Amino acid sequence: MLDASARSAVDDAPVPCERSWSLAATHPHDTAHFTQGLTWVDGRVFESVGQYGRSGVHEIDLATGRSLRSHSLPAEIFGEGLTRIGDRLVQLSWREKTAYLYDLSLQPKGTLHYEGEGWGLTTLPGPAGPSLVLSDGTPWLRMLDPATLAERRRVMVRVGDEPVKRLNELEWVRGEILANIWYSDEVAVIDPDDGRLRGWFDFTSLRERLVWPAPTAPSRDAVLNGLAWDDRRSRLLVTGKNWPQLFEIEIGDCRAPRPPRQ
């Protein structure tokens, strides 16, 4: 329950704004990849793929959608979010409480333990050094020590005092955290300091651009789930689980103040 001063701050908070975007390019994507995480590292694209018995991490060729190199996880591990920290990639697992470390050639470099489920993962810069940010399908984002994965702090993502649920794949972009909302084509734009929802993107029209190769048809699980930011070119990569395309997006400013649909 919020006290009077907190309630006043909530009531005075600005309404989140729908952000504009435009499509810059379309690339092929492997429909066998159940995308759980995506990250862009110095012009190279890495993808975490999920499902038991099929999980792993891939470096993909943006022009063809094919894997340039890959590393498979054990059959009992369900791969999840992926990010870069220093000269390492960190890949989460869903319920196994284990993060897998790789160098940029996808050679394994050890594991780390964390508590709870792992869904999305991104790297948050800071004056005292970076943190890893982990989502677990709830409204909470956990900031973790990158060396140990011990929790440093957490924030609840919210519109006013209403929590935003089903946070999944994460990406840090220009001082904000982007989070796709599971089973939605909307991506939340989050203040990493207090969890306030600053805005959101509606990528519904990307689904309408998907061209499925015959006889493939989208399943219920073929949802948007893949965000990677190229800071050098100011482009956002967006794809989904088993999607046949990966989209390159230029992001813009506010279009209209209103909260996302939940």
Side-chain angles (χ1 to χ4, degrees):
M1 193 73 174
L2 297 176
D3 61 26
S5 61
R7 170 64 66 182
S8 176
V10 165
D11 291 341
D12 292 340
V15 176
C17 180
E18 182 183 0
R19 303 282 181 92
S20 63
W21 60 272
S22 60
L23 180 62
T26 301
H27 307 282
H29 181 250
D30 191 335
T31 56
H33 285 188
F34 194 78
T35 306
Q36 299 293 89
L38 202 65
T39 192
W40 200 321
V41 179
D42 300 330
R44 302 163 66 186
V45 181
F46 295 90
E47 181 176 26
S48 173
V49 172
Q51 295 184 323
Y52 289 112
R54 304 183 67 179
S55 290
V57 60
H58 301 255
E59 181 181 356
I60 61 172
D61 178 15
L62 200 57
T64 65
R66 296 174 181 168
S67 294
L68 298 173
R69 55 183 57 85
S70 64
H71 180 84
S72 296
L73 289 172
E76 67 274 15
I77 302 297
F78 195 117
E80 283 282 353
L82 180 73
T83 194
R84 175 199 187 174
I85 183 79
D87 61 353
R88 294 287 187 263
L89 296 173
V90 183
Q91 182 185 27
L92 297 177
S93 57
W94 179 23
R95 293 174 169 170
E96 293 75 38
K97 301 181 180 180
T98 302
Y100 293 83
L101 310 181
Y102 309 90
D103 65 21
L104 296 182
S105 63
L106 300 187
Q107 293 301 306
K109 293 298 177 180
T111 60
L112 290 170
H113 174 84
Y114 57 90
E115 292 300 322
E117 293 188 1
W119 287 40
L121 190 68
T122 194
T123 303
L124 178 68
S131 297
L132 296 180
V133 185
L134 180 147
S135 68
D136 57 10
T138 72
W140 293 94
L141 296 180
R142 289 183 275 159
M143 282 60 173
L144 309 179
D145 184 304
T148 65
L149 300 193
E151 184 174 325
R152 289 174 167 171
R153 67 182 181 93
R154 61 173 59 194
V155 296
M156 185 180 74
V157 179
R158 54 189 167 70
V159 181
D161 63 346
E162 187 69 25
V164 179
K165 303 174 183 178
R166 307 193 311 277
L167 299 176
N168 198 358
E169 159 79 326
L170 303 176
E171 185 72 357
W172 182 85
V173 178
R174 295 175 175 169
E176 301 173 317
I177 296 174
L178 271 56
N180 91 276
I181 300 172
W182 189 39
Y183 278 105
S184 166
D185 292 323
E186 294 176 343
V187 170
V189 182
I190 301 160
D191 186 322
D193 293 327
D194 61 10
R196 180 173 57 84
L197 193 72
R198 292 179 174 175
W200 55 285
F201 292 95
D202 185 348
F203 290 128
T204 302
S205 63
L206 289 183
R207 183 179 296 277
E208 298 166 359
R209 293 177 177 270
L210 294 174
V211 179
W212 296 89
T216 306
S219 71
R220 180 177 180 272
D221 290 327
V223 294
L224 187 147
N225 196 56
L227 304 170
W229 176 247
D230 178 7
D231 194 54
R232 291 186 300 179
R233 297 193 304 147
S234 298
R235 298 282 178 91
L236 182 69
L237 292 183
V238 181
T239 192
K241 302 175 190 286
N242 304 125
W243 279 19
Q245 279 83 44
L246 184 152
F247 300 99
E248 200 169 325
I249 301 298
E250 292 182 348
I251 60 176
D253 298 320
C254 181
R255 292 179 58 184
R258 63 182 177 91
R261 298 176 291 275
Q262 287 204 75

